[in-house]
Amino acid sequence: MAYVRVSLLGMGKAQFAEALKARARLLGYNLGTTRSTVFKWERGDHDPDEIAQIVIADLLQIPASACRSAPWPKWLPAWDAQVLSTPWATGDTLKTLKTLSASDQMDRRGFLGIGGAALVSIGTQWATSAPHCDPSLEAAANGDNVTPAVVDRLGQRVQSLRALEQEAGGGGFIESGKTDLELITRMLENGRCTEETERRLYALGAEVCCLLGWMNYDASFNSAAQKYYAAALRASRAANDDTLGAHMLCFMAVQAATHQEQMAAVGLMESADSVRGRVSLTMQASLAAHQATVLLKAGQEKAAGQALNRAFAALERSNSDDTPAYLQWFGEAQLRSTEGRFLLSTGQAAKATDVLEKSVDHAPRRDQAVRCGALALAYQQAGDLDGALDATNRALDLIDNGGIHTQRGVERLREVHKALAPHRSESKVKETRARIAALTTL
């Protein structure tokens, strides 16, 4: 509880007690919480009662159902402090990777583990930290020699995992990613390797953590995703890879923006943008595209449009030869998806449908499943009901019958279900909404 109060909310005990009483009044409850009450909760003398837990959940922007999902305080979105607070030295990064590779913690869908200033601080720490090298790793006793060929084969494993995730969604491959992470951390801990090989291992560790973060995010396990993203950011610093670090900050920023942490998201993108002059044009295009997404969610439409223009300009000048494997997913199709969502959010639904159609046509199957939901919303807003139903059923076919596992796609279909409600009396709409309801258990 103390971690949540201080790290997530930045409040003292008395301030937290007053905030709870004020929130309770808005919810129609009467709480007599005092500083002493909070002290006793945190010391474990007694637990908050049911009403107090509902108010705490509301203050943290957590669904009230979370209070019933686990006993107090296990439903609180508390991070493993090691991921957030340990120093940025290579040895500490190895400990963080090792902890995550062995972790079997359960996560709850739908909300983040940290937000606000604590989330922004991760990006700031990455941007201001210097790369470190722990020479003791090179002297690991009785370890195998880690050759460049071994690292090459590890890279092929990671690339295969990435390809599988793009085709089928990541939910079913999380354990495979953790196996790869465990293998990499054992090599870092016990293997004998050169400084260059060690750097490559940390880069691969960052890539695997990035994939694990993305797969958890796609499954809506957001607190777990944050942990992996933060660990990937640390590993990218150990690898002295600015592109990989900026790539991670983009993912973290979009996740934060999606969960109403707009200021934190903007701060993370500012940290990522600090290396713009040291990364490739493809990465510059990705940076600008993610800036557009974050700024749009923050209500800065003009700045978002300018960022989108920068993204197209950088992508047009880019050379695919300078694109690392973990960034090869980013290209015109992804940028068109960002453009389509921008057009949809700025009241240009008809234009959005054309752009999103192109984005869907050239996307991997998992992304098609998600983007068809956005396309359906665009058609619905443009007044084309048949187009909306067609896009919706394409998404349903991919998720329900095509073996695509993506909770983001399911959540997008929930939005479509709501958007189609005014037409619920029409038989074809009724049928499609029934398919969505059966899939999403609305």
Side-chain angles (χ1 to χ4, degrees):
M1 182 69 225
Y3 175 81
V4 172
R5 174 177 56 79
V6 175
S7 297
L8 274 68
L9 300 175
M11 294 181 179
K13 293 184 181 70
Q15 186 183 7
F16 181 60
E18 291 301 316
L20 286 181
K21 287 192 287 187
R23 184 60 61 98
R25 287 193 292 271
L26 291 175
L27 297 176
Y29 300 119
N30 182 25
L31 282 185
T33 311
T34 65
R35 183 185 184 283
S36 176
T37 308
V38 175
F39 176 77
K40 291 177 181 178
W41 288 345
E42 294 181 357
R43 194 171 63 181
D45 291 351
H46 61 82
D47 297 342
D49 62 23
E50 181 180 358
I51 297 302
Q53 290 192 41
I54 290 172
V55 176
I56 291 169
D58 191 76
L59 186 65
L60 294 169
Q61 299 181 340
I62 295 172
S65 59
C67 306
R68 297 184 290 274
S69 67
W72 174 269
K74 292 185 178 180
W75 61 265
L76 291 172
W79 263 37
D80 179 347
Q82 181 185 23
V83 177
L84 182 63
S85 61
T86 53
W88 282 64
T90 302
D92 295 293
T93 293
L94 176 56
K95 292 177 184 177
T96 300
L97 297 179
K98 187 176 179 181
T99 297
L100 283 176
S101 70
S103 173
D104 193 31
Q105 295 176 340
M106 295 297 292
D107 191 22
R108 298 169 305 285
R109 283 196 168 103
F111 48 87
L112 302 179
I114 64 165
L119 183 54
V120 176
S121 72
I122 298 175
T124 303
Q125 290 171 41
W126 173 83
T128 58
S129 64
H132 297 273
C133 180
D134 185 348
S136 66
L137 293 176
E138 298 178 8
N142 301 318
D144 292 335
N145 184 35
V146 183
T147 67
V150 169
V151 181
D152 289 342
R153 285 194 291 274
L154 275 173
Q156 292 168 5
R157 284 176 60 122
V158 175
Q159 182 64 13
S160 295
L161 180 62
R162 185 180 293 110
L164 286 169
E165 187 278 329
Q166 289 180 340
E167 282 301 306
F173 301 108
I174 291 174
E175 290 304 315
S176 296
K178 289 177 67 175
T179 298
D180 286 350
L181 180 59
E182 193 271 339
L183 180 61
I184 291 167
T185 54
R186 279 199 292 114
M187 288 186 180
L188 281 166
E189 188 172 35
N190 302 316
R192 292 180 292 111
C193 58
T194 65
E195 183 176 330
E196 171 62 18
T197 300
E198 179 186 305
R199 185 194 64 76
R200 290 182 62 197
L201 284 173
Y202 272 112
L204 279 177
E207 289 188 44
V208 173
C209 281
C210 175
L211 273 170
L212 284 165
W214 173 256
M215 289 189 287
N216 277 278
Y217 172 66
D218 194 43
S220 290
F221 294 127
N222 286 290
S223 183
Q226 277 191 312
K227 291 180 184 181
Y228 283 114
Y229 284 159
L233 195 64
R234 288 179 175 276
S236 73
R237 174 53 72 217
N240 195 20
D241 190 329
D242 285 338
T243 298
L244 190 50
H247 180 63
M248 288 317 314
L249 287 168
C250 288
F251 279 37
M252 295 174 74
V254 169
Q255 183 193 28
T258 302
H259 289 82
Q260 287 74 54
E261 288 285 354
Q262 313 303 353
M263 291 182 63
V266 171
L268 289 168
M269 285 310 306
E270 287 175 351
S271 294
D273 199 51
S274 68
V275 299
R276 182 177 15 159
R278 303 198 297 271
V279 298
S280 69
L281 285 167
T282 302
M283 187 65 234
Q284 290 180 34
S286 179
L287 273 172
H290 285 90
Q291 284 174 329
T293 297
V294 166
L295 290 168
L296 183 63
K297 288 182 179 293
Q300 302 180 41
E301 292 182 4
K302 182 178 180 180
Q306 293 170 341
L308 190 59
N309 289 334
R310 290 198 303 273
F312 275 110
L315 187 64
E316 186 176 354
R317 302 195 315 273
S318 66
N319 183 342
S320 59
D321 293 341
D322 66 5
T323 305
Y326 58 81
L327 196 56
Q328 288 175 357
W329 64 275
F330 183 83
E332 185 174 357
Q334 176 62 32
L335 194 48
R336 291 295 178 191
S337 175
T338 303
E339 181 188 20
R341 285 182 279 112
F342 173 83
L343 292 169
L344 185 59
S345 296
T346 54
Q348 303 176 72
K351 290 182 179 179
T353 59
D354 292 337
V355 172
L356 288 171
E357 282 281 10
K358 294 175 183 176
S359 176
V360 169
D361 289 344
H362 296 91
R365 292 174 71 247
R366 191 277 320 285
D367 289 342
Q368 289 179 21
V370 177
R371 293 176 192 176
C372 277
L375 179 60
L377 291 170
Y379 274 122
Q380 188 274 332
Q381 289 187 27
D384 186 343
L385 184 58
D386 288 336
L389 293 174
D390 178 66
T392 303
N393 283 298
R394 287 162 66 187
L396 283 164
D397 288 342
L398 285 163
I399 296 172
D400 198 18
N401 303 324
I404 302 297
H405 302 281
T406 168
Q407 187 64 22
R408 288 185 307 122
V410 171
E411 290 167 359
R412 190 68 55 82
L413 286 173
R414 287 196 179 102
E415 297 179 42
V416 175
H417 186 277
K418 183 178 180 181
L420 292 175
H423 308 280
R424 63 170 68 89
S425 61
E426 298 189 32
S427 59
K428 56 186 179 182
V429 174
K430 185 182 297 185
E431 181 181 344
T432 299
R433 292 183 85 234
R435 286 190 70 190
I436 298 174
L439 178 65
T440 62
T441 60
L442 288 167

PDB file of all heavy atoms in Angstrom, residues 223-250:
ATOM      1  N   SER A 223       0.553  -4.394 -16.380  1.00  0.00           N
ATOM      2  CA  SER A 223       1.598  -4.237 -15.373  1.00  0.00           C
ATOM      3  C   SER A 223       2.805  -5.108 -15.713  1.00  0.00           C
ATOM      4  O   SER A 223       3.956  -4.676 -15.602  1.00  0.00           O
ATOM      5  CB  SER A 223       1.049  -4.598 -13.986  1.00  0.00           C
ATOM      6  OG  SER A 223       2.019  -4.377 -13.001  1.00  0.00           O
ATOM      7  N   ALA A 224       2.540  -6.347 -16.148  1.00  0.00           N
ATOM      8  CA  ALA A 224       3.635  -7.228 -16.567  1.00  0.00           C
ATOM      9  C   ALA A 224       4.368  -6.636 -17.764  1.00  0.00           C
ATOM     10  O   ALA A 224       5.602  -6.679 -17.838  1.00  0.00           O
ATOM     11  CB  ALA A 224       3.098  -8.617 -16.908  1.00  0.00           C
ATOM     12  N   ALA A 225       3.611  -6.072 -18.696  1.00  0.00           N
ATOM     13  CA  ALA A 225       4.236  -5.463 -19.869  1.00  0.00           C
ATOM     14  C   ALA A 225       5.183  -4.345 -19.466  1.00  0.00           C
ATOM     15  O   ALA A 225       6.299  -4.234 -19.995  1.00  0.00           O
ATOM     16  CB  ALA A 225       3.158  -4.928 -20.818  1.00  0.00           C
ATOM     17  N   GLN A 226       4.774  -3.515 -18.524  1.00  0.00           N
ATOM     18  CA  GLN A 226       5.639  -2.425 -18.071  1.00  0.00           C
ATOM     19  C   GLN A 226       6.955  -2.954 -17.508  1.00  0.00           C
ATOM     20  O   GLN A 226       8.023  -2.382 -17.748  1.00  0.00           O
ATOM     21  CB  GLN A 226       4.927  -1.601 -16.993  1.00  0.00           C
ATOM     22  CG  GLN A 226       3.974  -0.553 -17.535  1.00  0.00           C
ATOM     23  CD  GLN A 226       3.525   0.373 -16.427  1.00  0.00           C
ATOM     24  OE1 GLN A 226       3.118  -0.081 -15.350  1.00  0.00           O
ATOM     25  NE2 GLN A 226       3.603   1.657 -16.653  1.00  0.00           N
ATOM     26  N   LYS A 227       6.876  -4.034 -16.747  1.00  0.00           N
ATOM     27  CA  LYS A 227       8.100  -4.589 -16.162  1.00  0.00           C
ATOM     28  C   LYS A 227       9.073  -5.017 -17.252  1.00  0.00           C
ATOM     29  O   LYS A 227      10.276  -4.726 -17.183  1.00  0.00           O
ATOM     30  CB  LYS A 227       7.759  -5.784 -15.279  1.00  0.00           C
ATOM     31  CG  LYS A 227       7.005  -5.445 -14.012  1.00  0.00           C
ATOM     32  CD  LYS A 227       6.728  -6.722 -13.220  1.00  0.00           C
ATOM     33  CE  LYS A 227       5.895  -6.441 -11.983  1.00  0.00           C
ATOM     34  NZ  LYS A 227       5.643  -7.670 -11.205  1.00  0.00           N
ATOM     35  N   TYR A 228       8.555  -5.708 -18.256  1.00  0.00           N
ATOM     36  CA  TYR A 228       9.436  -6.172 -19.320  1.00  0.00           C
ATOM     37  C   TYR A 228       9.975  -4.993 -20.131  1.00  0.00           C
ATOM     38  O   TYR A 228      11.147  -4.997 -20.534  1.00  0.00           O
ATOM     39  CB  TYR A 228       8.694  -7.147 -20.227  1.00  0.00           C
ATOM     40  CG  TYR A 228       8.544  -8.524 -19.626  1.00  0.00           C
ATOM     41  CD1 TYR A 228       7.297  -9.030 -19.293  1.00  0.00           C
ATOM     42  CD2 TYR A 228       9.666  -9.310 -19.374  1.00  0.00           C
ATOM     43  CE1 TYR A 228       7.162 -10.294 -18.739  1.00  0.00           C
ATOM     44  CE2 TYR A 228       9.540 -10.574 -18.810  1.00  0.00           C
ATOM     45  CZ  TYR A 228       8.288 -11.060 -18.496  1.00  0.00           C
ATOM     46  OH  TYR A 228       8.162 -12.311 -17.937  1.00  0.00           O
ATOM     47  N   TYR A 229       9.142  -4.000 -20.393  1.00  0.00           N
ATOM     48  CA  TYR A 229       9.617  -2.831 -21.133  1.00  0.00           C
ATOM     49  C   TYR A 229      10.742  -2.128 -20.375  1.00  0.00           C
ATOM     50  O   TYR A 229      11.753  -1.725 -20.958  1.00  0.00           O
ATOM     51  CB  TYR A 229       8.465  -1.844 -21.362  1.00  0.00           C
ATOM     52  CG  TYR A 229       7.484  -2.233 -22.439  1.00  0.00           C
ATOM     53  CD1 TYR A 229       6.199  -1.692 -22.458  1.00  0.00           C
ATOM     54  CD2 TYR A 229       7.832  -3.120 -23.448  1.00  0.00           C
ATOM     55  CE1 TYR A 229       5.296  -2.032 -23.448  1.00  0.00           C
ATOM     56  CE2 TYR A 229       6.938  -3.470 -24.438  1.00  0.00           C
ATOM     57  CZ  TYR A 229       5.659  -2.917 -24.438  1.00  0.00           C
ATOM     58  OH  TYR A 229       4.762  -3.248 -25.422  1.00  0.00           O
ATOM     59  N   ALA A 230      10.552  -1.956 -19.067  1.00  0.00           N
ATOM     60  CA  ALA A 230      11.579  -1.270 -18.270  1.00  0.00           C
ATOM     61  C   ALA A 230      12.873  -2.079 -18.246  1.00  0.00           C
ATOM     62  O   ALA A 230      13.972  -1.515 -18.318  1.00  0.00           O
ATOM     63  CB  ALA A 230      11.068  -1.030 -16.846  1.00  0.00           C
ATOM     64  N   ALA A 231      12.755  -3.405 -18.137  1.00  0.00           N
ATOM     65  CA  ALA A 231      13.949  -4.252 -18.161  1.00  0.00           C
ATOM     66  C   ALA A 231      14.637  -4.169 -19.523  1.00  0.00           C
ATOM     67  O   ALA A 231      15.879  -4.142 -19.609  1.00  0.00           O
ATOM     68  CB  ALA A 231      13.570  -5.697 -17.849  1.00  0.00           C
ATOM     69  N   ALA A 232      13.845  -4.126 -20.596  1.00  0.00           N
ATOM     70  CA  ALA A 232      14.426  -3.986 -21.940  1.00  0.00           C
ATOM     71  C   ALA A 232      15.172  -2.666 -22.073  1.00  0.00           C
ATOM     72  O   ALA A 232      16.231  -2.592 -22.704  1.00  0.00           O
ATOM     73  CB  ALA A 232      13.324  -4.073 -23.004  1.00  0.00           C
ATOM     74  N   LEU A 233      14.633  -1.624 -21.470  1.00  0.00           N
ATOM     75  CA  LEU A 233      15.285  -0.317 -21.526  1.00  0.00           C
ATOM     76  C   LEU A 233      16.646  -0.378 -20.835  1.00  0.00           C
ATOM     77  O   LEU A 233      17.644   0.152 -21.330  1.00  0.00           O
ATOM     78  CB  LEU A 233      14.386   0.725 -20.870  1.00  0.00           C
ATOM     79  CG  LEU A 233      14.708   2.194 -21.138  1.00  0.00           C
ATOM     80  CD1 LEU A 233      14.551   2.537 -22.611  1.00  0.00           C
ATOM     81  CD2 LEU A 233      13.809   3.092 -20.291  1.00  0.00           C
ATOM     82  N   ARG A 234      16.697  -1.047 -19.693  1.00  0.00           N
ATOM     83  CA  ARG A 234      17.963  -1.206 -18.986  1.00  0.00           C
ATOM     84  C   ARG A 234      18.962  -2.005 -19.825  1.00  0.00           C
ATOM     85  O   ARG A 234      20.144  -1.660 -19.924  1.00  0.00           O
ATOM     86  CB  ARG A 234      17.733  -1.936 -17.664  1.00  0.00           C
ATOM     87  CG  ARG A 234      17.032  -1.107 -16.605  1.00  0.00           C
ATOM     88  CD  ARG A 234      16.825  -1.923 -15.334  1.00  0.00           C
ATOM     89  NE  ARG A 234      16.267  -1.092 -14.279  1.00  0.00           N
ATOM     90  CZ  ARG A 234      16.969  -0.321 -13.484  1.00  0.00           C
ATOM     91  NH1 ARG A 234      18.284  -0.255 -13.634  1.00  0.00           N
ATOM     92  NH2 ARG A 234      16.399   0.404 -12.552  1.00  0.00           N
ATOM     93  N   ALA A 235      18.477  -3.105 -20.406  1.00  0.00           N
ATOM     94  CA  ALA A 235      19.371  -3.943 -21.200  1.00  0.00           C
ATOM     95  C   ALA A 235      19.873  -3.206 -22.432  1.00  0.00           C
ATOM     96  O   ALA A 235      21.023  -3.388 -22.856  1.00  0.00           O
ATOM     97  CB  ALA A 235      18.656  -5.229 -21.611  1.00  0.00           C
ATOM     98  N   SER A 236      19.048  -2.343 -23.013  1.00  0.00           N
ATOM     99  CA  SER A 236      19.493  -1.566 -24.175  1.00  0.00           C
ATOM    100  C   SER A 236      20.612  -0.605 -23.793  1.00  0.00           C
ATOM    101  O   SER A 236      21.518  -0.343 -24.584  1.00  0.00           O
ATOM    102  CB  SER A 236      18.317  -0.792 -24.791  1.00  0.00           C
ATOM    103  OG  SER A 236      17.936   0.312 -23.976  1.00  0.00           O
ATOM    104  N   ARG A 237      20.571  -0.097 -22.566  1.00  0.00           N
ATOM    105  CA  ARG A 237      21.653   0.778 -22.101  1.00  0.00           C
ATOM    106  C   ARG A 237      22.920  -0.033 -21.887  1.00  0.00           C
ATOM    107  O   ARG A 237      24.019   0.405 -22.236  1.00  0.00           O
ATOM    108  CB  ARG A 237      21.229   1.492 -20.806  1.00  0.00           C
ATOM    109  CG  ARG A 237      22.335   2.328 -20.162  1.00  0.00           C
ATOM    110  CD  ARG A 237      22.950   3.321 -21.136  1.00  0.00           C
ATOM    111  NE  ARG A 237      22.078   4.422 -21.445  1.00  0.00           N
ATOM    112  CZ  ARG A 237      21.987   4.974 -22.645  1.00  0.00           C
ATOM    113  NH1 ARG A 237      22.700   4.483 -23.668  1.00  0.00           N
ATOM    114  NH2 ARG A 237      21.193   5.997 -22.865  1.00  0.00           N
ATOM    115  N   ALA A 238      22.773  -1.251 -21.320  1.00  0.00           N
ATOM    116  CA  ALA A 238      23.943  -2.109 -21.146  1.00  0.00           C
ATOM    117  C   ALA A 238      24.556  -2.466 -22.493  1.00  0.00           C
ATOM    118  O   ALA A 238      25.773  -2.648 -22.609  1.00  0.00           O
ATOM    119  CB  ALA A 238      23.557  -3.382 -20.392  1.00  0.00           C
ATOM    120  N   ALA A 239      23.713  -2.574 -23.526  1.00  0.00           N
ATOM    121  CA  ALA A 239      24.198  -2.865 -24.881  1.00  0.00           C
ATOM    122  C   ALA A 239      24.683  -1.607 -25.596  1.00  0.00           C
ATOM    123  O   ALA A 239      25.222  -1.695 -26.699  1.00  0.00           O
ATOM    124  CB  ALA A 239      23.087  -3.520 -25.700  1.00  0.00           C
ATOM    125  N   ASN A 240      24.486  -0.436 -24.985  1.00  0.00           N
ATOM    126  CA  ASN A 240      24.851   0.847 -25.586  1.00  0.00           C
ATOM    127  C   ASN A 240      24.190   1.016 -26.956  1.00  0.00           C
ATOM    128  O   ASN A 240      24.813   1.414 -27.917  1.00  0.00           O
ATOM    129  CB  ASN A 240      26.377   0.979 -25.723  1.00  0.00           C
ATOM    130  CG  ASN A 240      26.799   2.415 -25.982  1.00  0.00           C
ATOM    131  OD1 ASN A 240      26.042   3.355 -25.709  1.00  0.00           O
ATOM    132  ND2 ASN A 240      27.996   2.596 -26.518  1.00  0.00           N
ATOM    133  N   ASP A 241      22.885   0.704 -27.003  1.00  0.00           N
ATOM    134  CA  ASP A 241      22.124   0.728 -28.251  1.00  0.00           C
ATOM    135  C   ASP A 241      21.032   1.789 -28.144  1.00  0.00           C
ATOM    136  O   ASP A 241      19.959   1.552 -27.586  1.00  0.00           O
ATOM    137  CB  ASP A 241      21.523  -0.653 -28.508  1.00  0.00           C
ATOM    138  CG  ASP A 241      20.927  -0.788 -29.899  1.00  0.00           C
ATOM    139  OD1 ASP A 241      20.438   0.220 -30.440  1.00  0.00           O
ATOM    140  OD2 ASP A 241      20.939  -1.912 -30.439  1.00  0.00           O
ATOM    141  N   ASP A 242      21.296   2.982 -28.683  1.00  0.00           N
ATOM    142  CA  ASP A 242      20.328   4.079 -28.609  1.00  0.00           C
ATOM    143  C   ASP A 242      19.036   3.760 -29.362  1.00  0.00           C
ATOM    144  O   ASP A 242      17.948   4.127 -28.927  1.00  0.00           O
ATOM    145  CB  ASP A 242      20.936   5.366 -29.177  1.00  0.00           C
ATOM    146  CG  ASP A 242      21.947   6.000 -28.239  1.00  0.00           C
ATOM    147  OD1 ASP A 242      21.888   5.720 -27.033  1.00  0.00           O
ATOM    148  OD2 ASP A 242      22.798   6.766 -28.723  1.00  0.00           O
ATOM    149  N   THR A 243      19.161   3.104 -30.513  1.00  0.00           N
ATOM    150  CA  THR A 243      17.972   2.796 -31.300  1.00  0.00           C
ATOM    151  C   THR A 243      17.045   1.866 -30.528  1.00  0.00           C
ATOM    152  O   THR A 243      15.825   2.080 -30.468  1.00  0.00           O
ATOM    153  CB  THR A 243      18.366   2.144 -32.637  1.00  0.00           C
ATOM    154  OG1 THR A 243      19.155   3.071 -33.389  1.00  0.00           O
ATOM    155  CG2 THR A 243      17.138   1.784 -33.460  1.00  0.00           C
ATOM    156  N   LEU A 244      17.614   0.840 -29.926  1.00  0.00           N
ATOM    157  CA  LEU A 244      16.811  -0.109 -29.159  1.00  0.00           C
ATOM    158  C   LEU A 244      16.170   0.568 -27.952  1.00  0.00           C
ATOM    159  O   LEU A 244      14.997   0.323 -27.635  1.00  0.00           O
ATOM    160  CB  LEU A 244      17.689  -1.282 -28.731  1.00  0.00           C
ATOM    161  CG  LEU A 244      17.026  -2.508 -28.106  1.00  0.00           C
ATOM    162  CD1 LEU A 244      15.861  -2.999 -28.949  1.00  0.00           C
ATOM    163  CD2 LEU A 244      18.057  -3.617 -27.922  1.00  0.00           C
ATOM    164  N   GLY A 245      16.896   1.440 -27.286  1.00  0.00           N
ATOM    165  CA  GLY A 245      16.334   2.152 -26.142  1.00  0.00           C
ATOM    166  C   GLY A 245      15.199   3.075 -26.543  1.00  0.00           C
ATOM    167  O   GLY A 245      14.145   3.116 -25.889  1.00  0.00           O
ATOM    168  N   ALA A 246      15.392   3.824 -27.623  1.00  0.00           N
ATOM    169  CA  ALA A 246      14.328   4.708 -28.097  1.00  0.00           C
ATOM    170  C   ALA A 246      13.104   3.910 -28.524  1.00  0.00           C
ATOM    171  O   ALA A 246      11.961   4.318 -28.299  1.00  0.00           O
ATOM    172  CB  ALA A 246      14.848   5.556 -29.265  1.00  0.00           C
ATOM    173  N   HIS A 247      13.352   2.766 -29.154  1.00  0.00           N
ATOM    174  CA  HIS A 247      12.278   1.868 -29.569  1.00  0.00           C
ATOM    175  C   HIS A 247      11.434   1.461 -28.363  1.00  0.00           C
ATOM    176  O   HIS A 247      10.197   1.476 -28.409  1.00  0.00           O
ATOM    177  CB  HIS A 247      12.918   0.644 -30.225  1.00  0.00           C
ATOM    178  CG  HIS A 247      11.974  -0.389 -30.726  1.00  0.00           C
ATOM    179  ND1 HIS A 247      11.058  -0.152 -31.723  1.00  0.00           N
ATOM    180  CD2 HIS A 247      11.817  -1.694 -30.367  1.00  0.00           C
ATOM    181  CE1 HIS A 247      10.373  -1.266 -31.979  1.00  0.00           C
ATOM    182  NE2 HIS A 247      10.815  -2.212 -31.149  1.00  0.00           N
ATOM    183  N   MET A 248      12.100   1.131 -27.247  1.00  0.00           N
ATOM    184  CA  MET A 248      11.380   0.724 -26.056  1.00  0.00           C
ATOM    185  C   MET A 248      10.581   1.874 -25.466  1.00  0.00           C
ATOM    186  O   MET A 248       9.444   1.700 -25.022  1.00  0.00           O
ATOM    187  CB  MET A 248      12.372   0.200 -25.003  1.00  0.00           C
ATOM    188  CG  MET A 248      12.973  -1.144 -25.325  1.00  0.00           C
ATOM    189  SD  MET A 248      11.760  -2.311 -25.945  1.00  0.00           S
ATOM    190  CE  MET A 248      10.431  -2.076 -24.781  1.00  0.00           C
ATOM    191  N   LEU A 249      11.152   3.051 -25.444  1.00  0.00           N
ATOM    192  CA  LEU A 249      10.445   4.204 -24.899  1.00  0.00           C
ATOM    193  C   LEU A 249       9.184   4.520 -25.699  1.00  0.00           C
ATOM    194  O   LEU A 249       8.177   4.951 -25.142  1.00  0.00           O
ATOM    195  CB  LEU A 249      11.371   5.418 -24.853  1.00  0.00           C
ATOM    196  CG  LEU A 249      12.448   5.373 -23.765  1.00  0.00           C
ATOM    197  CD1 LEU A 249      13.494   6.457 -23.991  1.00  0.00           C
ATOM    198  CD2 LEU A 249      11.814   5.538 -22.378  1.00  0.00           C
ATOM    199  N   CYS A 250       9.237   4.288 -27.009  1.00  0.00           N
ATOM    200  CA  CYS A 250       8.035   4.477 -27.840  1.00  0.00           C
ATOM    201  C   CYS A 250       6.919   3.546 -27.383  1.00  0.00           C
ATOM    202  O   CYS A 250       5.764   3.956 -27.233  1.00  0.00           O
ATOM    203  CB  CYS A 250       8.361   4.213 -29.312  1.00  0.00           C
ATOM    204  SG  CYS A 250       9.374   5.467 -30.116  1.00  0.00           S
TER     205      CYS A 250
END
